[in-house]
Amino acid sequence: KVEFPLSVSSTEAQYEIQSGFVSRPTHANTSWDSAKFEVSGHKWAHLGEPDFGVGLLSKSKYGYSAKHNCLTLSLLRSTKAPDGNADMDDHVIEYAIYPHDVRCTHLG
């Protein structure tokens, strides 16, 4: 995983999905919130304030999470079963951080 601590304070993060975007809390106040540890997003995750935000973009990785002011992208699965050699080769992973100063009123 790669984690980006940001100077952004938001109670929700947005993630691109097939037909738009979904918002998830950045806190774990309830057991329901704690169970939402990772979101399967398509190309981006977003954490924003009313006049500033940061997007985490990726065209090949799909596991995002946001806790408090940190955006995280899962890079590898790292499982050992059933394939003990899964993700054990060299990888080229492209991702980007996109800060912006305009409110995203219609993400997607």
Side-chain angles (χ1 to χ4, degrees):
K1 291 188 178 201
V2 61
E3 182 177 84
F4 299 95
L6 304 168
S7 296
V8 177
S9 179
S10 180
T11 58
E12 289 188 333
Q14 292 77 36
Y15 307 89
E16 183 190 29
I17 60 172
Q18 181 179 4
S19 58
F21 70 94
V22 64
S23 295
R24 294 283 187 258
T26 60
H27 54 79
N29 291 344
T30 67
S31 60
W32 290 73
D33 294 338
S34 296
K36 299 174 187 174
F37 60 90
E38 191 169 85
V39 176
S40 177
H42 282 229
K43 297 178 187 164
W44 56 260
H46 178 264
L47 192 61
E49 296 178 2
D51 59 351
F52 176 78
V54 177
L56 175 55
L57 314 172
S58 174
K59 58 184 177 181
S60 64
K61 299 298 168 187
Y62 307 102
Y64 297 93
S65 62
K67 293 295 178 204
H68 304 290
N69 67 328
C70 290
L71 276 176
T72 304
L73 176 64
S74 294
L75 302 177
L76 301 175
R77 285 183 16 166
S78 301
T79 60
K80 292 295 181 186
D83 182 3
N85 295 319
D87 289 340
M88 298 296 286
D89 207 354
D90 293 333
H91 297 271
V92 176
I93 300 169
E94 296 178 347
Y95 55 86
I97 290 289
Y98 179 67
H100 58 85
D101 60 356
V102 178
R103 180 171 174 89
C104 293
T105 56
H106 59 285
L107 298 170

